């Protein structure tokens, strides 16, 4: 039997132990699994209380079960759910009892969602939105992912593809009736108008996105500077907890320390790096090398200095943060003055970071593009539409071929044509049971 024809099962709730655990079953044997363990099926989409027993008649748990006959289900297949007490022994007994039923097997990561995709319950952009929703850590990530799951990009892409096909049909009709006098010209004019409108719409979407797809991964901010200027203390202030060792001795931080922050809904990774200085210690030398590399890759560097020390940062977007203003002096124009130990100036620095994040990510509230894959395929479609306009005068056949390429790119975006090579990469990142 092909793996896609087998019935799959998995724990679809959190790791045990828990008060309640959900085990989901999907596939042609889902009804048999439910009858075998629960005795009989409950009414469709109505919860029923059952004493679950394994194949030997031994009780497993007093549970609530549900039956969802396909194709009107999340996966498009028959689905059964077992809501049991979330102890490890209960779950082990239930999963073992399901596994011995013929043609059932444990689900692979993301296999429930992949079956939903393959059965037409959602397109690839919606599946990506579901993955983002599962992994969302901040409110803005959550809202962006939910919009994708609800079809924000997928619906637009389907509309664009249908309009491209309509324009292509007009051009190809003109080719078929090329010997009918005015017919080709009458068909080409509305086709060219439609193609230009489509190109302008897609190009506008691509131009307006900013770094919206980076919202999934977050902004990277590195704290850098010479040794013993308060980098770890600033890190702890931003994190509002002790995440880095604070010591008056230079070279305490030997490796890169990271902490994830939620700044007004924007995900930010703050990196505390080793103090940058010349040293003979090979371990500290490696820490300095890594610090320079992470600072070079960061979206923003907070270069920490103290007192009247000179400033010598290099590369990238750099903010000068002058520490220990409580001991005298203040940040000059264009600098931030703080006291990392007392917290002076920290609220103002955080507010500036929030503004930087808002400008960096752009208008994420209405963002259509949330992944590099989506941007690449929209870019291909836009380029093909532009080339089709350039080629109209040279020959309708060439323009029609570019339109087919644009429709193909949007089909790949939705996951409806030739996407087998990307499915594994997308769905293997899902958790088991989703």
């Amino acid at each position: 039997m092909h793996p896609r024809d087998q019935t799959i099962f998995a724990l679809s709730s959190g790791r045990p132990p828990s008060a309640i655990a959900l085990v989901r079953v999907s596939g042609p044997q889902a009804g048999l699994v439910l009858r075998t363990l629960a005795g009989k099926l409950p009414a469709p989409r109505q919860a029923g209380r059952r004493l679950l027993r394994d194949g030997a008649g031994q009780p497993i748990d007093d549970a609530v079960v549900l039956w969802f006959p396909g194709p009107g289900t999340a996966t498009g297949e028959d689905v059964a759910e077992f809501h049991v007490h979330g102890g490890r022994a209960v779950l082990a007994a239930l999963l073992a009892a399901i596994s011995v039923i013929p043609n059932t097997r444990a689900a692979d990561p993301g296999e429930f969602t992949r079956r939903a995709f393959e059965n037409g319950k959602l397109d690839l952009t919606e599946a990506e939105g579901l993955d983002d929703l599962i992994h969302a850590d901040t409110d803005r990530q959550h809202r962006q992912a939910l919009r994708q799951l609800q079809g924000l990009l997928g619906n637009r892409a389907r509309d664009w593809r249908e309009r491209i096909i309509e324009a292509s049909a007009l051009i190809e009709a003109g080719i078929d009736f090329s010997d009918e006098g005015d017919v080709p010209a009458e068909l080409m004019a509305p086709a060219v108008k439609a193609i230009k409108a489509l190109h302008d719409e897609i190009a506008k979407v691509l131009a307006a996105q900013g770094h919206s797809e980076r919202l999934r991964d977050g902004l990277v901010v590195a704290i850098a500077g010479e040794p013993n200027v308060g980098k770890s203390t600033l890190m702890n202030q931003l994190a509002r907890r002790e995440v880095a060792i604070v010591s008056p001795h230079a070279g305490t931080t030997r490796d890169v320390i990271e902490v994830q922050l939620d700044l007004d809904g924007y995900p930010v990774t703050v990196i505390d790096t080793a103090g940058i200085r010349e040293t003979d210690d090979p371990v500290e030398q490696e820490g300095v090398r890594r610090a320079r590399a992470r600072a070079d890759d960061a979206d923003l560097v907070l270069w920490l200095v103290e007192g009247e020390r000179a400033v010598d940062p290099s590369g990238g977007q750099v903010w000068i943060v002058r520490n220990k203003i409580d001991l005298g002096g203040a940040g000059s124009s264009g600098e931030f003055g703080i006291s990392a130990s007392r917290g002076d100036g920290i609220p103002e620095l955080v507010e500036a970071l929030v503004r930087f994040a808002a400008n960096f990510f752009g208008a994420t509230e209405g963002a259509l593009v949330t992944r590099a894959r989506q941007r690449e395929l929209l870019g291909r479609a836009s380029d093909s539409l532009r080339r089709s306009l350039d080629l109209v005068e040279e020959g309708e056949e060439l323009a029609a071929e570019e339109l087919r390429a644009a429709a193909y790119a949007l089909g790949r975006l939705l996951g409806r044509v030739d996407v087998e090579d990307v499915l594994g990469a997308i769905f293997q990142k899902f958790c088991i049971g989703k």
Side-chain angles (χ1 to χ4, degrees):
M1 178 177 288
H2 193 280
R4 294 181 186 176
D5 297 326
Q6 293 178 322
T7 296
I8 58 174
F9 63 90
L11 172 66
S12 293
S13 56
R15 295 174 60 184
S18 60
I20 299 295
L22 168 61
V23 173
R24 181 177 292 134
V25 182
S26 179
Q29 299 290 90
L32 174 62
V33 170
L34 191 51
R35 285 193 298 270
T36 300
L37 301 183
K40 62 178 181 179
L41 298 179
R45 295 173 177 79
Q46 293 186 21
R49 182 179 176 184
R50 298 287 191 275
L51 177 63
L52 305 182
R53 296 181 182 274
D54 62 18
Q58 295 298 314
I60 298 173
D61 193 21
D62 188 2
V64 172
V65 298
L66 291 104
W67 165 240
F68 303 94
T73 64
T75 63
E77 304 174 327
D78 290 346
V79 172
E81 289 185 356
F82 298 88
H83 297 248
V84 298
H85 296 96
R88 291 186 177 87
V90 172
L91 287 169
L94 177 57
L95 296 176
I98 297 174
S99 67
V100 299
I101 297 174
N103 298 322
T104 64
R105 62 174 174 84
D108 292 329
E111 191 167 6
F112 286 93
T113 306
R114 178 161 182 165
R115 290 193 176 194
F117 164 75
E118 291 171 341
N119 291 324
K121 294 299 179 178
L122 70 171
D123 64 40
L124 203 52
T125 66
E126 292 164 342
E128 289 170 328
L130 178 57
D131 182 39
D132 292 344
L133 188 62
I134 293 169
H135 294 98
D137 292 321
T138 73
D139 181 59
R140 293 182 189 273
Q141 287 177 318
H142 159 246
R143 294 204 301 267
Q144 177 174 278
L146 190 58
R147 288 193 298 272
Q148 286 289 42
L149 179 58
Q150 293 172 335
L152 181 68
L153 175 59
N155 292 339
R156 291 286 296 277
R158 273 187 289 274
D159 175 64
W160 289 332
R161 190 165 184 264
E162 290 172 3
R163 289 160 60 190
I164 290 172
I165 292 172
E166 290 172 0
S168 180
L170 290 174
I171 291 178
E172 294 189 13
I175 296 172
D176 292 338
F177 293 98
S178 58
D179 57 348
E180 297 293 331
D182 294 336
V183 172
E186 294 174 354
L187 294 173
M188 285 299 296
V192 169
K193 182 179 179 181
I195 296 168
K196 188 176 186 308
L198 281 164
H199 176 265
D200 291 346
E201 285 183 34
I202 296 176
K204 185 177 180 181
V205 167
L206 289 171
Q209 296 306 306
H211 293 81
S212 58
E213 59 261 44
R214 283 287 309 279
L215 187 64
R216 296 174 52 248
D217 302 319
L219 182 72
V220 178
V221 177
I223 303 174
E226 296 179 0
N228 207 29
V229 293
K231 295 187 298 297
S232 296
T233 305
L234 175 58
M235 173 79 143
N236 292 339
Q237 282 280 6
L238 293 175
R240 297 183 181 179
R241 56 190 174 91
E242 297 293 325
V243 294
I245 298 174
V246 177
S247 168
H249 302 291
T252 300
T253 302
R254 297 297 186 95
D255 205 348
V256 174
I257 300 173
E258 299 185 5
V259 63
Q260 310 297 321
L261 302 182
D262 179 347
L263 296 184
D264 194 31
Y266 295 109
V268 178
T269 300
V270 179
I271 301 170
D272 177 20
T273 62
I276 296 177
R277 66 170 181 171
E278 297 298 327
T279 176
D280 295 328
D281 186 333
V283 177
E284 191 175 352
Q285 286 177 348
E286 177 61 17
V288 170
R289 186 195 68 77
R290 294 185 184 187
R292 290 186 182 278
R294 293 307 300 269
D296 289 342
D297 293 338
D299 302 305
L300 173 65
V301 176
L302 302 182
W303 190 271
L304 202 62
V305 295
E306 65 176 28
E308 300 300 322
R309 290 187 184 180
V311 177
D312 186 27
S314 60
Q317 178 80 25
V318 180
W319 289 359
I320 306 304
V321 182
R322 198 167 292 276
N323 191 21
K324 302 184 181 180
I325 59 172
D326 54 314
L327 300 181
S332 59
S333 177
E335 298 181 355
F336 293 89
I338 68 166
S339 171
S341 60
R342 293 198 327 186
D344 299 352
I346 299 298
E348 292 77 12
L349 179 59
V350 170
E351 289 177 7
L353 287 172
V354 171
R355 290 194 297 271
F356 180 86
N359 291 330
F360 180 86
F361 290 118
T364 57
E365 289 300 321
L368 291 179
V369 179
T370 60
R371 296 197 177 210
R373 183 192 76 88
Q374 298 167 359
R375 178 174 292 278
E376 178 188 356
L377 290 170
L378 279 181
R380 290 185 189 179
S382 177
D383 291 344
S384 293
L385 290 172
R386 177 183 50 76
R387 286 194 295 268
S388 71
L389 291 170
D390 296 340
L391 292 170
V392 165
E393 298 299 327
E394 299 182 25
E396 293 90 343
E397 294 87 351
L398 296 176
E401 184 59 32
E402 290 297 340
L403 287 182
R404 281 191 285 270
Y408 180 79
L410 293 178
R412 283 180 60 86
L413 175 67
L414 294 166
R416 296 307 174 208
V417 292
D418 189 29
V419 292
E420 196 65 30
D421 54 334
V422 302
L423 292 185
I426 291 175
F427 290 111
Q428 71 182 3
K429 297 178 183 177
F430 277 64
C431 53
I432 299 289
K434 194 61 187 170

